[in-house]
Amino acid sequence: MSFEDKSLEEIELELKNSNFQWIKGENLGMVEKFESVSEVGPLKFVNFKGGGRMNVSILSEFMDIFPATP
């Protein structure tokens, strides 16, 4: 099941202990820390502590997801 098909609660539960590294785009190599998930109309986003966000429908295309380190 893709993130698009999951509820905000399911997405948050799955990603809350994760970090994200850009694998494509101008932020290539940068690491983002999870903050929350949100919904704007029909779109769902992962919000990062640095202030950015990523649409869950393209998350795996632009970012690698890995366990957060304490």
Side-chain angles (χ1 to χ4, degrees):
M1 180 184 287
S2 73
F3 288 126
E4 294 173 89
D5 299 327
K6 295 182 179 184
S7 70
L8 293 181
E9 294 79 18
E10 290 171 317
I11 297 169
E12 182 159 357
L13 185 62
E14 189 169 337
L15 298 178
K16 70 180 178 180
N17 295 316
S18 299
N19 284 338
F20 306 82
Q21 184 171 23
W22 288 89
I23 58 172
K24 185 177 179 181
E26 63 185 54
N27 293 327
L28 183 67
M30 291 181 59
V31 174
E32 303 279 1
K33 297 185 181 300
F34 177 86
E35 181 173 58
S36 64
V37 290
S38 61
E39 195 166 28
V40 179
L43 303 176
K44 296 175 185 167
F45 294 91
V46 175
N47 302 298
F48 304 115
K49 289 186 178 179
R53 69 182 183 176
M54 173 62 68
N55 186 316
V56 298
S57 68
I58 58 172
L59 183 65
S60 62
E61 179 184 345
F62 283 85
M63 306 189 96
D64 188 21
I65 303 167
F66 59 94
T69 54

